[in-house]
Amino acid sequence: MRKPMADIAETALQLGHPPTDRAAARHLAIPADTVIVADVWISGDLGFVLLLHRRDDGLIAEELYYSVRRADGDWECPDHLSGGIVGTELGTSAMVEDALAGASMSVVAESESLVHTGRGPDGDEGELVHTWEFLVSGDAELIEIEHLSPAAPGTPVISRRDVAGPLMLLVLLPGERARVSAMRRENSSFTQFGNVLDLHNPE
Protein backbone atom coordinates (compact mmCIF):
# COMPACT_ATOMS: atom_id res chain seq x y z
CA MET A 1 0.00 0.00 0.00
CA ARG A 2 1.28 3.47 -0.87
CA LYS A 3 2.59 5.56 2.01
CA PRO A 4 0.27 8.49 2.91
CA MET A 5 1.32 11.71 1.19
CA ALA A 6 1.42 13.64 4.47
CA ASP A 7 3.99 11.16 5.80
CA ILE A 8 6.08 11.52 2.61
CA ALA A 9 5.95 15.30 2.96
CA GLU A 10 7.01 15.13 6.62
CA THR A 11 9.99 12.91 5.77
CA ALA A 12 11.04 15.37 3.05
CA LEU A 13 10.85 18.28 5.52
CA GLN A 14 13.01 16.39 8.00
CA LEU A 15 15.61 15.90 5.26
CA GLY A 16 15.26 19.48 4.07
CA HIS A 17 15.42 18.51 0.40
CA PRO A 18 13.98 15.90 -2.02
CA PRO A 19 15.12 12.44 -0.86
CA THR A 20 16.34 11.37 -4.30
CA ASP A 21 19.14 13.13 -6.17
CA ARG A 22 17.85 13.69 -9.70
CA ALA A 23 20.34 16.41 -10.68
CA ALA A 24 21.93 14.18 -13.32
CA ALA A 25 18.64 12.97 -14.81
CA ARG A 26 16.98 16.42 -15.11
CA HIS A 27 13.56 14.84 -15.51
CA LEU A 28 10.82 13.25 -13.44
CA ALA A 29 9.72 9.79 -14.48
CA ILE A 30 6.60 9.11 -12.41
CA PRO A 31 5.42 5.48 -12.50
CA ALA A 32 1.88 4.57 -11.47
CA ASP A 33 1.27 4.19 -7.71
CA THR A 34 4.36 6.28 -6.95
CA VAL A 35 4.65 9.63 -5.19
CA ILE A 36 7.68 11.79 -6.04
CA VAL A 37 8.98 14.68 -3.95
CA ALA A 38 9.59 17.36 -6.60
CA ASP A 39 10.89 20.06 -4.25
CA VAL A 40 11.07 21.28 -0.66
CA TRP A 41 10.95 24.95 0.38
CA ILE A 42 11.86 25.89 3.96
CA SER A 43 11.77 29.47 5.25
CA GLY A 44 12.50 29.75 8.96
CA ASP A 45 10.01 27.50 10.72
CA LEU A 46 7.68 27.20 7.71
CA GLY A 47 8.02 24.27 5.35
CA PHE A 48 6.36 23.44 2.01
CA VAL A 49 6.62 20.24 -0.03
CA LEU A 50 5.59 19.73 -3.65
CA LEU A 51 4.57 16.14 -4.41
CA LEU A 52 3.82 14.62 -7.82
CA HIS A 53 1.91 11.45 -8.67
CA ARG A 54 0.26 9.88 -11.69
CA ARG A 55 -3.52 9.64 -11.67
CA ASP A 56 -5.54 6.68 -12.89
CA ASP A 57 -6.15 8.52 -16.18
CA GLY A 58 -2.38 8.79 -16.75
CA LEU A 59 -2.10 12.53 -16.08
CA ILE A 60 0.46 13.93 -13.62
CA ALA A 61 -1.04 15.64 -10.58
CA GLU A 62 0.67 17.89 -8.03
CA GLU A 63 -0.10 18.21 -4.32
CA LEU A 64 1.23 20.98 -2.08
CA TYR A 65 1.73 20.34 1.65
CA TYR A 66 2.65 22.74 4.45
CA SER A 67 3.92 22.44 8.01
CA VAL A 68 5.30 24.43 10.95
CA ARG A 69 8.41 23.44 12.86
CA ARG A 70 7.84 22.94 16.57
CA ALA A 71 10.08 24.29 19.32
CA ASP A 72 11.74 20.87 19.64
CA GLY A 73 12.83 21.04 15.99
CA ASP A 74 10.36 18.46 14.66
CA TRP A 75 7.67 19.26 12.10
CA GLU A 76 3.93 19.17 12.71
CA CYS A 77 2.03 16.69 10.55
CA PRO A 78 1.82 18.49 7.16
CA ASP A 79 -1.51 19.85 5.95
CA HIS A 80 -2.65 19.66 2.34
CA LEU A 81 -2.90 23.15 0.82
CA SER A 82 -3.75 22.60 -2.84
CA GLY A 83 -3.58 20.22 -5.78
CA GLY A 84 -4.21 19.98 -9.48
CA ILE A 85 -3.12 18.61 -12.83
CA VAL A 86 0.36 19.43 -14.12
CA GLY A 87 -0.08 20.51 -17.72
CA THR A 88 3.34 19.24 -18.80
CA GLU A 89 4.84 15.76 -19.08
CA LEU A 90 8.17 15.64 -17.26
CA GLY A 91 9.37 12.14 -18.10
CA THR A 92 12.32 13.12 -20.31
CA SER A 93 14.65 16.08 -20.66
CA ALA A 94 13.33 16.67 -24.19
CA MET A 95 9.78 17.03 -22.84
CA VAL A 96 10.94 19.65 -20.35
CA GLU A 97 12.85 21.64 -22.98
CA ASP A 98 9.92 21.47 -25.42
CA ALA A 99 7.61 22.88 -22.74
CA LEU A 100 10.06 25.70 -22.01
CA ALA A 101 10.27 26.64 -25.71
CA GLY A 102 13.73 28.17 -25.38
CA ALA A 103 13.25 29.84 -21.97
CA SER A 104 15.44 28.93 -19.01
CA MET A 105 12.45 28.94 -16.63
CA SER A 106 8.69 29.38 -16.72
CA VAL A 107 5.92 29.50 -14.14
CA VAL A 108 3.59 26.52 -14.51
CA ALA A 109 1.34 27.09 -11.48
CA GLU A 110 0.74 29.63 -8.74
CA SER A 111 -1.64 29.79 -5.81
CA GLU A 112 -2.46 31.60 -2.58
CA SER A 113 -3.19 29.92 0.74
CA LEU A 114 -4.08 31.21 4.19
CA VAL A 115 -1.70 29.48 6.59
CA HIS A 116 -0.63 29.77 10.20
CA THR A 117 2.81 31.37 10.25
CA GLY A 118 3.23 32.09 13.94
CA ARG A 119 4.32 35.66 13.16
CA GLY A 120 1.30 37.40 14.71
CA PRO A 121 1.40 38.95 18.19
CA ASP A 122 -0.41 35.95 19.67
CA GLY A 123 1.36 33.40 17.46
CA ASP A 124 -1.91 32.30 15.82
CA GLU A 125 -2.34 34.81 13.02
CA GLY A 126 -2.98 33.43 9.56
CA GLU A 127 -1.34 35.02 6.52
CA LEU A 128 -1.79 34.68 2.78
CA VAL A 129 1.30 33.01 1.37
CA HIS A 130 1.86 32.97 -2.38
CA THR A 131 3.32 29.86 -3.99
CA TRP A 132 4.88 29.48 -7.43
CA GLU A 133 5.88 26.27 -9.20
CA PHE A 134 8.29 26.81 -12.06
CA LEU A 135 9.83 24.61 -14.70
CA VAL A 136 13.62 24.80 -15.03
CA SER A 137 15.81 23.96 -18.01
CA GLY A 138 18.18 21.01 -17.79
CA ASP A 139 21.00 23.46 -18.62
CA ALA A 140 20.55 25.12 -15.21
CA GLU A 141 22.73 23.90 -12.38
CA LEU A 142 21.71 26.51 -9.83
CA ILE A 143 18.84 28.88 -9.18
CA GLU A 144 19.84 32.27 -7.76
CA ILE A 145 17.20 34.07 -5.69
CA GLU A 146 17.40 37.77 -4.80
CA HIS A 147 14.96 38.04 -1.91
CA LEU A 148 13.51 41.34 -0.67
CA SER A 149 11.47 41.55 2.53
CA PRO A 150 9.40 44.48 3.91
CA ALA A 151 11.86 44.70 6.82
CA ALA A 152 14.74 45.53 4.43
CA PRO A 153 13.19 46.64 1.11
CA GLY A 154 16.44 47.96 -0.38
CA THR A 155 18.79 45.18 0.66
CA PRO A 156 18.26 41.86 -1.14
CA VAL A 157 19.35 38.62 0.46
CA ILE A 158 20.92 36.46 -2.25
CA SER A 159 20.80 32.67 -2.03
CA ARG A 160 21.46 29.82 -4.43
CA ARG A 161 19.70 26.48 -4.69
CA ASP A 162 20.88 23.38 -6.52
CA VAL A 163 18.57 22.23 -9.30
CA ALA A 164 17.60 18.67 -8.31
CA GLY A 165 14.81 18.32 -10.88
CA PRO A 166 12.83 20.27 -13.47
CA LEU A 167 10.02 21.45 -11.18
CA MET A 168 10.88 23.82 -8.34
CA LEU A 169 8.97 25.64 -5.64
CA LEU A 170 9.11 29.20 -4.32
CA VAL A 171 7.00 30.62 -1.49
CA LEU A 172 6.70 34.28 -0.45
CA LEU A 173 5.09 35.79 2.63
CA PRO A 174 3.08 39.04 2.36
CA GLY A 175 5.17 41.96 1.14
CA GLU A 176 8.07 39.82 -0.04
CA ARG A 177 9.61 39.95 -3.52
CA ALA A 178 11.98 37.62 -5.32
CA ARG A 179 14.00 37.80 -8.52
CA VAL A 180 14.86 34.32 -9.76
CA SER A 181 17.64 33.56 -12.25
CA ALA A 182 18.93 30.32 -13.75
CA MET A 183 22.69 29.77 -13.48
CA ARG A 184 25.05 27.41 -15.31
CA ARG A 185 28.71 26.67 -14.87
CA GLU A 186 31.16 28.29 -17.27
CA ASN A 187 34.76 27.39 -16.53
CA SER A 188 35.26 27.96 -12.79
CA SER A 189 32.25 30.21 -12.16
CA PHE A 190 28.49 30.34 -12.63
CA THR A 191 26.80 32.62 -15.16
CA GLN A 192 23.17 33.72 -15.40
CA PHE A 193 21.38 32.76 -18.60
CA GLY A 194 17.92 33.02 -20.10
CA ASN A 195 14.95 34.88 -18.70
CA VAL A 196 14.44 36.15 -15.15
CA LEU A 197 11.32 35.68 -13.03
CA ASP A 198 10.16 38.66 -10.92
CA LEU A 199 7.74 37.43 -8.26
CA HIS A 200 5.84 39.43 -5.63
CA ASN A 201 3.37 38.69 -2.87
CA PRO A 202 1.55 41.98 -2.12
CA GLU A 203 0.90 42.99 1.50
Side-chain angles (χ1 to χ4, degrees):
M1 187 171 66
R2 190 169 73 182
K3 186 177 180 181
M5 290 190 189
D7 292 347
I8 295 172
E10 185 175 3
T11 298
L13 285 170
Q14 291 168 353
L15 287 172
H17 55 79
T20 303
D21 181 8
R22 289 184 300 275
R26 305 292 180 161
H27 63 269
L28 289 175
I30 305 174
D33 298 321
T34 300
V35 178
I36 299 294
V37 180
D39 200 17
V40 177
W41 176 272
I42 295 176
S43 177
D45 292 328
L46 299 178
F48 299 81
V49 181
L50 179 63
L51 302 178
L52 300 177
H53 61 101
R54 195 170 295 279
R55 307 190 327 170
D56 291 340
D57 60 7
L59 297 175
I60 297 175
E62 54 91 8
E63 311 294 342
L64 183 64
Y65 280 79
Y66 145 85
S67 182
V68 175
R69 191 176 358 229
R70 300 194 299 262
D72 62 4
D74 289 335
W75 293 93
E76 297 285 356
C77 181
D79 292 323
H80 183 257
L81 285 183
S82 64
I85 296 173
V86 178
T88 303
E89 269 293 341
L90 306 171
T92 68
S93 298
M95 291 176 177
V96 173
E97 299 307 322
D98 285 347
L100 286 168
S104 60
M105 301 176 296
S106 68
V107 173
V108 295
E110 60 180 294
S111 61
E112 280 188 334
S113 302
L114 183 67
V115 304
H116 162 70
T117 64
R119 302 197 312 167
D122 59 0
D124 294 325
E125 186 176 348
E127 295 184 273
L128 273 177
V129 299
H130 203 114
T131 305
W132 288 266
E133 298 164 26
F134 53 96
L135 197 63
V136 185
S137 169
D139 291 333
E141 297 181 67
L142 295 172
I143 293 297
E144 184 174 86
I145 302 171
E146 296 180 58
H147 185 266
L148 286 163
S149 69
T155 308
V157 175
I158 298 177
S159 61
R160 288 181 172 179
R161 301 184 63 205
D162 290 329
V163 176
L167 202 58
M168 299 189 71
L169 187 62
L170 187 143
V171 181
L172 296 180
L173 295 172
E176 293 182 334
R177 293 178 177 270
R179 183 176 172 86
V180 186
S181 307
M183 311 285 286
R184 62 184 169 199
R185 185 181 296 278
E186 291 188 2
N187 299 319
S188 60
S189 62
F190 288 96
T191 303
Q192 175 185 323
F193 75 100
N195 57 311
V196 175
L197 300 179
D198 286 301
L199 309 175
H200 177 215
N201 184 5
E203 297 246 27

